[in-house]
Amino acid sequence: MDVLLINAPLSFGPMAKGTAIPLGLACISSYLKIKGLKIGALDMVYEKFGEEEFKNYLLKNHPKIVGISFTTHSRLKVPTIARWIRDTLPDAHITLGGHHVTSAPYDTLKFVDADSAILGDGEEVMYRLCSNIMEGKKDILKLPGLVYKSQIGISSIIEEKAIIENLDSYPWPDRDLFNTEKYNLIFPSDVSVNAKKIEYLITSRGCPYACRFCSAYVTHGGKGFRYRDIVNVVDEIEYLINERKCDGIYIYDDNFTTNEKRIKEFAYEMRKRKIFIPFLCYGRVNSVNYDTFKMLREIGLQSISFGMESGSPKILKYLNKNINKEQMIEAVRTCNNLGIIAKGTFIIGSPTETLEDFRETLILIYQLKKIQPNFIANIGDGGLFIYPGTGIYHDAIKSGILPEDFSWFKDYPGIKINYDVPIYYNDKVEVLFKGASRLMRRYQRRYLLLHNPLQLLRLFKKKIKRIINKL
């Protein structure tokens, strides 16, 4: 084995069945295989390797290069994995990649015993790194998009992220690298056509919007937001249907519906080839157009998830969402008229949020459920996550919630965390949580997250009025 690709596990428990295969690693594998390299992979989110079993795997396959991909939520397992690799294969080159290391490379290399870190798109940098190592070149680490560790410290030739301009020039993900049966996703119960074999698909990289809490813009935003050609996308869908026998697609773009012209091209190409397949996607409420969404519905759109975040204009402005309640209401109304299930995700715990702001969110959810009774409201009641490089991160540093010398690999007893990630937490947020968390525990599952709560709608109305009157 030339290269072993590892998806780092979470430390707080297994992910729910239905999580996507590591498409980033699958894309890197496809490219490296075309170049003639022998690739192996371990998705340690699902493959529960202990230390001895993991080391035996390394000794059996003896990879020359090991790449570890991880997120902020899985970062705390990475030092242990790297240490196991170093103990077993001291000559192997260990490189790191993914959203977290792209945003915080120097902190990561300081606390993880790895040789390098890839920033941004990994295909080309990983190939050049592997080629140089296997050819024994002395300047193996002098590559754009790579931060490396040497005897004199951590340095890089070019700190900017590696960006692939033409996504269509690279192969589709190597889905055979993973046992996709472990990742099957069942569509929500009220989706009109349930699918039994789901495949995930990415048609773009990044997001053009700079939401204050999100790492997508930090890692692939601005100039880093790129589309694949629609013909190439539909070619892949045909392959997934004909060769992999899937009957449902999960389009995993951060924002699939951003470009109306492109979405129409997608619908046209699908109709031209007479392809109808149930699919889900993510979008923004300010990109919803009746005619465009009608075209998507006709080719299989079953459900769409919108990042709504709050019913308070003040909080929406702080989060830099650039949307408003009227757009949320109109988006759900359009989806309901077309038979598309809408889902809204909401955040609680923004720095300036009050119970009155949260009351506005509850009222908005009720309004949306009145328009579409099976509207799915998902409220994250664990706090506002702080991710490296985001606006929230910089606010947390300025306000003293995180120390100026904060490291993502140190333990800070005074910092509130959830799912191994710090949350924005101060006295004002504590007051909010004390009032809102009680309401969430009591009403979230029974009323806010039900797919089809027609029988509880009147009861919900009475309860929500009672809640609002007490705030």
Side-chain angles (χ1 to χ4, degrees):
M1 183 186 296
D2 297 320
V3 182
L4 173 63
L5 301 175
I6 295 175
N7 188 32
L10 302 167
S11 58
F12 49 80
M15 296 180 99
K17 184 177 175 66
T19 304
I21 68 171
L23 283 173
L25 292 184
C27 288
I28 291 173
S29 174
S30 289
Y31 189 61
L32 296 183
K33 282 184 176 179
I34 285 177
K35 298 296 185 178
L37 297 174
K38 297 179 181 179
I39 311 299
L42 284 178
D43 185 354
M44 296 182 74
V45 172
Y46 290 98
E47 304 295 340
K48 301 304 176 185
F49 276 62
E51 179 177 0
E52 184 176 353
E53 186 179 8
F54 179 72
K55 288 183 175 180
N56 287 336
Y57 178 92
L58 293 175
L59 290 172
K60 179 181 178 181
N61 294 281
H62 217 282
K64 302 176 182 66
I65 300 105
V66 180
I68 307 174
S69 177
F70 63 99
T71 66
T72 305
H73 291 278
S74 59
R75 73 193 186 283
L76 298 181
K77 285 288 188 177
V78 177
T80 299
I81 295 173
R83 187 175 67 250
W84 289 351
I85 298 168
R86 191 69 76 200
D87 291 344
T88 310
L89 303 174
D91 295 330
H93 183 97
I94 304 173
T95 190
L96 310 173
H99 278 270
H100 183 89
V101 71
T102 296
S103 301
Y106 297 101
D107 176 63
T108 301
L109 285 176
K110 183 178 179 181
F111 290 94
V112 179
D113 185 11
D115 301 292
S116 63
I118 295 173
L119 312 186
D121 294 325
E123 288 93 333
E124 191 64 42
V125 182
M126 187 67 170
Y127 167 64
R128 293 179 64 187
L129 173 65
C130 294
S131 297
N132 288 349
I133 289 173
M134 296 179 71
E135 292 172 9
K137 293 182 179 179
K138 293 183 179 181
D139 59 346
I140 56 174
L141 302 177
K142 294 181 180 180
L143 298 172
L146 191 79
V147 177
Y148 61 92
K149 189 183 295 184
S150 67
Q151 292 181 347
I152 59 173
I154 301 169
S155 59
S156 66
I157 300 302
I158 297 179
E159 296 181 14
E160 293 184 2
K161 300 180 288 289
I163 295 177
I164 296 173
E165 297 291 345
N166 182 7
L167 296 177
D168 299 310
S169 63
Y170 288 77
W172 301 332
D174 178 13
R175 293 178 172 84
D176 293 329
L177 192 66
F178 303 96
N179 181 1
T180 53
E181 293 299 323
K182 295 184 178 181
Y183 307 89
N184 278 354
L185 177 75
I186 302 300
F187 285 177
S189 59
D190 282 332
V191 174
S192 57
V193 181
N194 282 324
K196 296 180 180 179
K197 182 173 174 52
I198 304 297
E199 291 284 357
Y200 285 74
L201 176 73
I202 292 179
T203 79
S204 65
R205 292 191 184 182
C207 178
Y209 299 95
C211 296
R212 200 173 192 85
F213 55 87
C214 185
S215 63
Y217 185 84
V218 178
T219 54
H220 285 296
K223 294 181 180 179
F225 181 52
R226 295 138 292 153
Y227 296 117
R228 289 173 54 193
D229 182 77
I230 287 300
V231 172
N232 184 273
V233 170
V234 179
D235 284 346
E236 185 176 2
I237 291 175
E238 278 195 319
Y239 162 78
L240 294 175
I241 295 172
N242 297 331
E243 301 300 325
R244 297 188 64 83
K245 309 302 180 185
C246 82
D247 59 355
I249 297 288
Y250 204 132
I251 299 179
Y252 219 52
D253 298 26
D254 288 294
N255 270 304
F256 178 62
T257 62
T258 298
N259 188 315
E260 183 179 343
K261 180 176 179 292
R262 182 173 182 266
I263 294 305
K264 288 181 177 179
E265 290 175 0
F266 172 71
Y268 174 79
E269 187 67 25
M270 292 281 282
R271 291 175 64 180
K272 185 176 74 171
R273 303 193 200 187
K274 298 181 179 179
I275 299 174
F276 175 91
I277 186 167
F279 70 94
L280 312 181
C281 67
Y282 297 93
R284 282 177 61 92
V285 294
N286 59 346
S287 67
V288 177
N289 173 281
Y290 182 89
D291 292 335
T292 304
F293 270 57
K294 183 175 184 292
M295 294 171 68
L296 292 178
R297 177 60 174 156
E298 289 171 350
I299 61 170
L301 177 60
Q302 307 293 301
S303 179
I304 183 168
S305 181
F306 300 111
M308 296 180 173
E309 320 314 348
S310 177
S312 165
K314 180 186 76 177
I315 300 304
L316 290 172
K317 183 178 180 180
Y318 170 75
L319 295 175
N320 200 33
K321 284 297 297 183
N322 291 308
I323 58 174
N324 56 53
K325 290 191 289 186
E326 290 72 24
Q327 289 169 329
M328 299 182 206
I329 291 170
E330 187 57 34
V332 173
R333 180 178 288 114
T334 297
C335 288
N336 185 65
N337 290 339
L338 292 171
I340 300 167
I341 296 176
K343 176 181 178 181
T345 57
F346 298 86
I347 295 172
I348 180 172
S350 295
T352 60
E353 189 171 5
T354 64
L355 280 173
E356 176 63 25
D357 294 314
F358 184 59
R359 181 178 81 93
E360 292 188 63
T361 298
L362 292 177
I363 292 172
L364 173 64
I365 291 172
Y366 170 70
Q367 291 174 323
L368 297 177
K369 279 190 169 288
K370 195 172 181 180
I371 294 169
Q372 185 178 64
N374 55 357
F375 168 76
I376 304 169
N378 188 349
I379 301 182
D381 61 345
L384 180 58
F385 289 124
I386 302 173
Y387 293 113
T390 61
I392 296 297
Y393 171 79
H394 294 298
D395 288 348
I397 296 291
K398 290 178 183 178
S399 64
I401 289 175
L402 300 181
E404 290 187 6
D405 61 347
F406 176 76
S407 170
W408 294 93
F409 295 90
K410 287 184 178 180
D411 183 29
Y412 297 88
I415 296 176
K416 298 285 186 180
I417 63 170
N418 192 16
Y419 296 106
D420 286 337
V421 173
I423 62 172
Y424 199 106
Y425 197 88
N426 56 19
D427 291 342
K428 291 182 179 179
V429 174
E430 183 177 7
V431 171
L432 170 65
F433 279 172
K434 283 183 178 179
S437 62
R438 181 177 66 254
L439 303 178
M440 292 300 303
R441 285 195 303 269
R442 194 170 169 189
Y443 299 108
Q444 179 179 357
R445 292 189 179 181
R446 291 185 63 192
Y447 303 109
L448 303 182
L449 296 182
L450 293 174
H451 296 313
N452 188 19
L454 283 172
Q455 71 277 20
L456 294 175
L457 192 57
R458 288 191 297 273
L459 180 59
F460 173 80
K461 184 177 180 180
K462 293 179 182 178
K463 292 287 186 181
I464 207 70
K465 282 185 176 179
R466 193 178 306 163
I467 294 169
I468 292 168
N469 291 334
K470 288 182 178 179
L471 294 179

